[in-house]
Amino acid sequence: MTDNVTACRVAKPDIATRLRRETRDAHCRIEAVMSDLLFTAPLDLQAYQHMLQLHRSYYELVETRLGQFQSTAAMMQERAKLSWLDSDIDYVERKTQQPVAHSGSYTSAALALPDNEALAWGFLYVFEGATLGGAHILDKLRHQPHFKGRSGLRFFHSYGPNTPMMWRGFQLSLQHFVAANPGSEKQIIHGANLSFSNMYTLMKGVQVD
Ligand code: HEM
């Protein structure tokens, strides 16, 4: 009995638990900045448009990197999100009649990108986890008059009803990666925090009128 209790106390938390725990502060910061932008009624459509464009620039950079490592490239085959952002950008551009300038050079110069596979898994965690928050964001935004159905909200709809299944699939694959690469946890968590920090830097720059 005592041995079991002791074993429980010393059991190491798994990668999913560690990621959630060790990126909690970073998630709170990005959630706060995104909430200010998205949930202040009425929604500032130009700020939303700017947010989409910055997301697009960032996702393009990171998805390209994820495509350069074997295991993350395999994951990306069914997890690419650029087309979702493109369809929202097109919709909002038609609404505002104002294209937003591309900000690719700014993002690539200022941001840290993953240069090894373990870091890349941390970046992937942030993109996959964001689909969970996406459902909550969608619920709040779809009542705004700018949007109809899913138009303009494709990115936050993400995997739709498949989101929990995709999340479980991601976590399982992450566990396999860690099992095959002992000692990679620290780099994965570092990668996740780097990506949160990149996104925070980008989103802080979005002006809300
Ligand atoms: C207004 C903005 C946001 C809200 C309200 C929000 C909300 C949430 C919620 C409620 C969850 C837990 C979902 C569940 O367990 O079913 C979650 C998880 C998560 N979110 Fe967000 N989120 C926001 C923005 C973001 C952004 C911008 C990112 C990153 C780009 C992000 C990354 C994550 C990650 C990685 C998780 C998974 C945490 C875990 O390991 O369980 N979130 N979010």
Side-chain angles (χ1 to χ4, degrees), residues 16-33:
T17 308
R18 284 196 62 189
L19 271 166
R20 192 178 318 113
R21 200 182 279 166
E22 295 178 43
T23 64
R24 187 169 289 145
D25 290 351
H27 184 271
C28 281
R29 286 202 314 156
I30 189 85
E31 184 176 343
V33 90

Side-chain angles (χ1 to χ4, degrees), residues 75 79 128 131-132 159 161-176:
M75 296 293 287
R79 290 166 194 271
E128 289 308 302
T131 67
L132 302 178
Y159 304 118
N162 291 332
T163 303
M165 185 196 74
M166 293 297 280
W167 179 241
R168 279 195 300 277
F170 165 74
Q171 287 188 312
L172 215 58
S173 301
L174 177 62
Q175 277 168 22
H176 286 313

Side-chain angles (χ1 to χ4, degrees), residues 93-149:
E93 261 182 18
R94 273 184 271 120
K95 282 235 140 199
T96 60
Q97 309 266 304
Q98 278 183 24
V100 166
H102 285 259
S103 38
S105 55
Y106 162 68
T107 52
S108 51
L111 304 172
L113 294 171
D115 55 13
N116 68 53
E117 203 161 18
L119 283 177
W121 274 92
F123 276 69
L124 183 57
Y125 161 78
V126 173
F127 280 6
E128 289 308 302
T131 67
L132 302 178
H136 296 263
I137 297 170
L138 183 72
D139 256 2
K140 293 203 181 189
L141 287 189
R142 67 178 175 191
H143 305 295
Q144 293 268 352
H146 306 295
F147 307 113
K148 271 202 201 81

Side-chain angles (χ1 to χ4, degrees), residues 179-204:
N181 297 276
S184 57
E185 292 96 326
K186 209 170 156 195
Q187 284 279 292
I188 296 170
I189 293 161
H190 181 52
N193 276 311
L194 274 181
S195 193
F196 270 124
S197 160
N198 285 340
M199 298 205 69
Y200 181 75
T201 304
L202 285 178
M203 287 309 115
K204 270 304 257 186

Side-chain angles (χ1 to χ4, degrees), residues 48-57 82-96 98-100 102 152-155:
Y48 183 68
Q49 187 177 18
H50 192 187
M51 182 222 81
L52 289 171
Q53 191 60 57
L54 284 173
H55 267 64
R56 204 221 176 270
S57 302
L82 280 186
S83 65
W84 303 346
L85 287 162
D86 284 339
S87 88
D88 291 343
I89 289 168
D90 285 351
Y91 176 82
V92 178
E93 261 182 18
R94 273 184 271 120
K95 282 235 140 199
T96 60
Q98 278 183 24
V100 166
H102 285 259
L153 295 170
R154 179 64 192 84
F155 177 69

